[in-house]
């Protein structure tokens, strides 16, 4: 568009200049013609040669047939040879309109000339066309030069404008890009103005905003998920770490701080025990999966160590779990099963032996054998009952508190223990000291019953006194009951007092005649008291008696 306008401008300018030049040439030729006309009209034709030959001005006289009658720049001979001028543009027009002005190429002079022609009459009344001419090529050249100068000027102008405009566009574009960038980075939006030409930018900006909106949503979603993951990672009780191939932790949780330093990146510095460093070192080299139980001597703990190679990312996942309690539980279970088998084996072997002997035994012995078999069956029964109690107690944490009448407790205990009481001629006394003279306890009846039954039974069994006696005292104090079971039995040596609560532990069997014991009674008692929120102590003197004191919560 601008180029077209510039073209028009140059064209108009050139036309004006050309018109000016033409007008000036015409004017000069016209003035010359007036002079020549004056001179020519006042003189006969024969005098023309003399009058005009030395003049710088060229003029030609042509008659109405087109014959050149006179040419101021030609000799008479040359004039005669000159071709007919009737077809010349200016001559034709002058004949028709009495005056004409033309600029055209002259074959005679091989250049562009300006011609001015008028009709004149000489002194004798003959009509001629008087034509004056002057060279016009210089003017043409000047016009062209002017033309060229204008073109060059506009070219430079265009270039300069283009240069500044481009820079302006660049800067403007850069400012907009900067704002977009700021928006993308911080979500902060500044207004951006667009010109019509930049509609594409507007659309692009719209797409960008939409995209950024989605992006921000995704980022916050990802951030949330990252937090959840991190929370999960840090809440598990095993150590999890992602190790790169250089042996640096990229991510790790803070569990097992006593094994892995949470602030160190390199595994060699983070892992505190050689027992764990060695398998990691091997894993890094062999890129294989590892899973093994590792015992750390100085900690006296077992750990389950796993290492997995992630081929795609060339990284390793390491987990370390403290499995000491599981291992110990397994050990305890193993010992328990061994003990159970051992405990069951003895009465079973006895029963089997006496049954075989019974077949051929004389009548007098039979009763004795049957009694032994009965004792062993009772022992088996005791063992099985204790096992059942143990598994029942260990599998339930429930404490079922209710009001239990004191009389009911006394009655049931005396009833169930009546066999042993009668056998030993023992005396069992109960002393209840309850708040406001209440006649009930707020306890888990099943548990308190089992505790007291075991303790009273032991007080009767492990008793060689001629008058065996067991006293049960219950004192109510605030939120608890302080209970003691006291006997006048054989007592427990001080060095045995801790051990008697272990499962299957029995003090030298020779001390008593009790063959039915399982060594489980006190371990059951201790567990039950703990489940009732209490604790237990022993006070015993060998040969004098024992007091088991404990408390339970209401
Ligand atoms: P058991 O089934 O053998 O009675 P317990 O766990 O009840 O198992 O008791 C463990 C050991 O503690 C018994 O073998 C016994 O030697 C000793 N003992 C328990 N109670 C008394 C007590 N009141 N007086 C003396 N010794 C006791």
């Amino acid at each position: 568009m601008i180029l077209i306008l510039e073209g028009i401008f140059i064209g108009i300018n050139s036309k004006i200049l050309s018109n000016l030049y033409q007008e000036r040439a015409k004017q000069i030729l016209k003035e010359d013609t007036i002079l020549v006309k004056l001179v020519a009209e006042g003189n006969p034709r024969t005098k023309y040669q003399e009058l005009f030959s030395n003049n710088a001005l060229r003029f030609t006289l042509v008659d109405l047939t087109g014959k050149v009658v006179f040419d101021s720049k030609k000799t008479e001979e040359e004039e005669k040879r000159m071709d007919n001028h009737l077809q010349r543009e200016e001559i034709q027009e002058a004949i028709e309109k009495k005056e004409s002005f033309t600029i055209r190429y002259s074959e005679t002079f091989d250049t562009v000339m300006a011609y001015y022609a008028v009709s004149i009459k000489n002194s004798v009344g003959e009509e001629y066309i008087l034509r004056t001419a002057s060279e016009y090529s210089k003017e043409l050249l000047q016009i062209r030069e002017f033309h060229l100068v204008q073109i060059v000027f506009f070219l430079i102008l265009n270039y300069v404008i283009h240069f500044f405009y481009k820079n302006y566009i660049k800067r403007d574009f850069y400012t907009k890009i900067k704002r977009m960038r700021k928006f993308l980075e911080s979500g902060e939006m500044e207004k951006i103005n667009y010109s019509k030409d930049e509609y594409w930018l507007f659309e692009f900006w719209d797409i960008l905003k939409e995209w950024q909106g989605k992006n921000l949503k995704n980022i916050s979603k990802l951030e949330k998920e990252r937090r959840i993951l991190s929370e999960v990672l840090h809440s598990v009780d095993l150590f999890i770490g992602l190790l790169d191939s250089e042996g640096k932790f990229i991510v790790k949780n803070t569990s097992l701080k006593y094994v892995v330093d949470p602030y160190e990146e390199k595994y060699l510095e983070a892992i505190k025990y050689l027992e764990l460093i060695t398998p990691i070192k091997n894993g890094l080299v062999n890129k294989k999966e590892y899973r093994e139980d590792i015992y750390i001597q100085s900690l006296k703990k077992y750990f389950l160590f796993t290492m997995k190679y992630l081929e795609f990312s060339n990284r390793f996942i390491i987990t370390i779990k403290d499995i000491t309690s599981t291992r110990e539980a397994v050990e305890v279970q193993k010992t328990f099963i061994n003990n159970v088998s051992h405990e069951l084996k003895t009465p079973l072997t006895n029963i089997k032996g006496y049954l075989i002997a019974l077949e051929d035994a004389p009548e007098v012995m039979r009763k004795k054998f049957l009694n032994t078999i009965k004792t062993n069956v009772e022992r088996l029964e005791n063992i099985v009952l204790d096992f059942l109690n143990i598994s029942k107690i260990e599998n339930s944490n429930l404490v079922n508190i209710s009001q239990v009448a004191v009389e009911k407790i006394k009655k049931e205990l005396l009833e169930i223990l009546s066999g042993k009481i009668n056998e030993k001629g023992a005396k069992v006394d109960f002393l209840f000291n309850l708040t406001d003279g209440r006649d009930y306890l707020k306890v888990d009846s099943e548990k308190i019953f089992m505790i007291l039954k075991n303790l009273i039974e032991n007080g009767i069994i492990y008793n060689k006194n001629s008058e065996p006696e067991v006293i049960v005292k219950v004192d109510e104090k605030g939120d608890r009951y302080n209970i003691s079971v006291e006997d006048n039995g054989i007592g427990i040596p001080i060095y045995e007092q801790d051990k008697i609560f272990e499962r299957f532990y029995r003090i030298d069997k020779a001390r008593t005649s009790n063959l039915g014991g399982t060594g489980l009674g006190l371990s059951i008692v201790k567990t039950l008291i703990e489940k009732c929120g209490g604790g237990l102590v022993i006070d015993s003197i060998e040969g004098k008696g024992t007091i088991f004191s404990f408390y339970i919560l209401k």
Side-chain angles (χ1 to χ4, degrees):
M1 183 69 183
I2 289 173
L3 284 178
I4 294 170
L5 284 175
E6 283 175 0
I8 292 170
F9 182 78
I10 293 172
I12 291 170
N13 262 359
S14 302
K15 186 72 195 161
I16 291 169
L17 191 72
S18 164
N19 283 349
L20 272 174
Y21 273 112
Q22 280 185 24
E23 204 47 50
R24 200 184 67 177
K26 187 179 170 184
Q27 210 50 44
I28 291 168
L29 287 174
K30 204 172 174 179
E31 280 166 16
D32 287 349
T33 308
I34 292 166
L35 273 176
V36 171
K37 197 177 158 190
L38 277 174
V39 177
E41 280 176 343
N43 288 287
R45 154 77 184 85
T46 44
K47 275 229 164 170
Y48 288 0
Q49 197 71 32
E50 181 193 329
L51 280 167
F52 298 111
S53 61
N54 290 329
N55 202 313
L57 182 76
R58 182 200 171 192
F59 78 91
T60 315
L61 211 55
V62 181
D63 67 15
L64 294 184
T65 64
K67 188 174 172 264
V68 177
V69 181
F70 178 77
D71 192 308
S72 62
K73 293 295 173 208
K74 305 273 177 180
T75 61
E76 250 178 90
E77 277 308 302
E78 285 169 335
E79 279 168 3
K80 279 178 194 155
R81 283 201 303 275
M82 283 176 79
D83 51 359
N84 191 294
H85 274 38
L86 190 63
Q87 290 313 313
R88 299 287 198 276
E89 216 180 309
E90 68 280 5
I91 303 293
Q92 279 282 326
E93 208 179 312
I95 292 170
E96 266 175 41
K97 300 179 182 167
K98 302 296 179 207
E99 188 188 27
S100 87
F101 177 76
T102 319
I103 288 165
R104 66 172 173 78
Y105 175 72
S106 161
E107 280 172 24
T108 319
F109 294 100
D110 188 21
T111 184
V112 177
M113 302 284 286
Y115 293 99
Y116 181 73
V118 283
S119 156
I120 60 162
K121 280 189 180 144
N122 66 2
S123 50
V124 288
E126 290 165 334
E127 193 178 348
Y128 293 99
I129 302 298
L130 174 62
R131 185 186 75 173
T132 47
S134 67
E135 203 179 328
Y136 195 70
S137 58
K138 272 188 207 146
E139 283 80 350
L140 269 184
L141 197 70
Q142 277 175 2
I143 290 168
R144 267 190 214 129
E145 275 173 6
F146 178 68
H147 210 88
L148 202 73
V149 167
Q150 281 192 100
I151 290 173
V152 169
F153 170 76
F154 277 113
L155 276 179
I156 293 172
L157 187 72
N158 279 352
Y159 176 75
V160 171
I161 289 174
H162 179 72
F163 177 78
F164 281 107
Y165 186 64
K166 212 171 88 183
N167 270 1
Y168 164 75
I169 294 272
K170 233 161 107 182
R171 252 183 291 131
D172 182 55
F173 198 66
Y174 185 63
T175 317
K176 285 170 184 162
I177 294 283
K178 244 165 71 177
R179 284 183 192 167
M180 289 180 186
R181 188 184 168 153
K182 195 171 160 192
F183 172 65
L184 289 181
E185 281 171 359
S186 64
E188 207 177 294
M189 185 141 52
E190 269 182 54
K191 199 172 157 24
I192 298 182
N193 296 318
Y194 308 95
S195 69
K196 249 187 183 174
D197 291 348
E198 290 173 330
Y199 191 71
W200 64 272
L201 198 66
F202 174 73
E203 279 199 352
F204 174 65
W205 182 225
D206 250 11
I207 294 169
L208 215 61
K209 278 196 284 189
E210 196 181 317
W211 180 78
Q212 173 70 345
K214 279 185 198 161
N215 241 9
L216 287 175
K217 257 188 218 163
N218 279 342
I219 288 173
S220 76
K221 203 173 141 193
L222 277 178
E223 178 58 20
K224 245 187 226 166
E225 280 171 11
R226 195 192 63 79
R227 270 196 216 149
I228 293 171
L229 261 179
S230 158
E231 229 170 58
V232 170
L233 190 70
H234 286 89
S235 62
V236 290
D237 65 346
L238 77 158
F239 168 80
I240 303 177
L242 184 66
L243 199 69
D244 69 10
S245 53
E246 303 293 308
K248 263 189 184 174
F249 281 112
I250 299 161
V251 184
K252 64 175 181 309
N253 67 4
T254 47
S255 300
L256 259 65
K257 283 187 190 139
Y258 60 96
V259 176
V260 189
D261 185 335
Y263 303 107
E264 292 293 346
E265 273 193 345
K266 288 182 187 162
Y267 86 95
L268 277 171
E269 284 149 23
I271 307 282
K272 297 180 183 171
Y273 297 95
L274 189 68
E275 290 93 331
L276 288 164
I277 289 176
T278 316
I280 296 179
K281 208 181 242 175
N282 290 340
L284 281 171
V285 177
N286 301 329
K287 296 185 173 172
K288 275 186 193 162
E289 271 188 33
Y290 278 83
R291 185 187 174 88
E292 55 183 301
D293 287 2
I294 290 172
Y295 180 68
I296 297 182
Q297 184 68 39
S298 50
L299 288 175
K300 294 203 168 30
K301 275 179 176 284
Y302 286 95
F303 294 91
L304 172 64
F305 167 83
T306 70
M307 186 162 175
K308 195 174 179 170
Y309 177 56
L310 308 173
E311 210 171 335
F312 181 69
S313 57
N314 192 27
R315 287 171 180 168
F316 302 82
I317 282 273
I318 289 176
T319 65
I320 303 170
K321 187 172 165 56
D322 182 349
I323 50 162
T324 314
S325 55
T326 326
R327 285 285 290 243
E328 276 171 1
V330 171
E331 289 302 316
V332 167
Q333 223 158 356
K334 267 191 206 163
T335 328
F336 183 74
I337 290 168
N338 278 342
N339 287 333
V340 168
S341 321
H342 180 77
E343 291 300 321
L344 290 175
K345 214 173 147 196
T346 320
L348 274 175
T349 316
N350 284 346
I351 293 167
K352 196 180 164 193
Y354 281 103
L355 276 175
I356 293 167
L358 199 64
E359 280 179 9
D360 307 317
E363 197 61 38
V364 274
M365 295 299 283
R366 280 193 161 206
K367 195 161 171 83
K368 203 184 160 203
F369 286 0
L370 277 171
N371 268 338
T372 316
I373 290 171
K374 193 181 160 214
T375 315
N376 279 291
V377 169
E378 276 169 2
R379 175 136 196 249
L380 264 183
E381 196 184 6
N382 279 345
I383 296 173
V384 172
L385 278 175
D386 277 352
F387 289 162
L388 287 176
N389 283 336
I390 281 195
S391 74
K392 194 173 159 193
I393 294 161
E394 284 187 348
N395 291 326
S396 151
N397 281 323
L398 284 179
V399 179
N400 192 10
I401 305 275
S402 62
Q403 286 189 15
V404 194
V406 166
E407 279 313 311
K408 190 178 177 227
I409 297 174
K410 275 199 233 173
K411 198 178 151 223
E412 281 183 16
L413 281 171
L414 292 174
E415 217 171 87
I416 199 153
L417 290 168
S418 60
K420 296 246 158 51
I421 293 172
N422 293 337
E423 192 184 309
K424 291 273 238 168
K427 199 175 152 209
V428 179
D429 292 325
F430 290 92
L431 296 173
F432 286 91
N433 182 17
L434 303 177
T435 315
D436 302 333
R438 285 175 192 150
D439 58 354
Y440 60 86
L441 298 182
K442 276 203 248 169
V443 287
D444 182 324
S445 72
E446 204 181 338
K447 289 191 176 65
I448 195 73
F449 190 78
M450 222 185 283
I451 295 168
L452 291 175
K453 184 232 156 197
N454 269 298
L455 292 177
I456 299 169
E457 192 174 30
N458 280 354
I460 299 169
I461 295 169
Y462 304 111
N463 203 320
K464 286 183 177 168
N465 200 302
S466 52
E467 288 174 7
E469 188 176 8
V470 177
I471 304 166
V472 179
K473 289 182 189 160
V474 179
D475 269 344
E476 186 171 4
K477 222 169 208 171
D479 63 342
R480 61 181 64 186
Y481 294 105
N482 293 324
I483 304 171
S484 67
V485 179
E486 184 180 344
D487 65 61
N488 54 357
I490 57 173
I492 303 163
I494 191 116
Y495 54 89
E496 299 277 15
Q497 289 180 7
D498 277 344
K499 296 182 203 157
I500 52 172
F501 296 101
E502 288 172 17
R503 281 178 186 174
F504 300 106
Y505 190 81
R506 276 185 285 164
I507 303 176
D508 180 17
K509 288 172 201 167
R511 297 191 320 152
T512 69
S513 55
N514 178 35
L515 291 169
T518 59
L520 290 170
L522 286 180
S523 107
I524 293 173
V525 166
K526 190 173 176 240
T527 313
L528 283 171
I529 291 174
E530 280 164 3
K531 296 231 170 185
C532 292
L536 165 120
V537 285
I538 313 175
D539 183 8
S540 180
I541 300 171
E542 264 189 284
K544 278 209 156 176
T546 307
I547 308 171
F548 285 95
S549 308
F550 62 96
Y551 71 90
I552 51 169
L553 298 177
K554 285 181 187 172

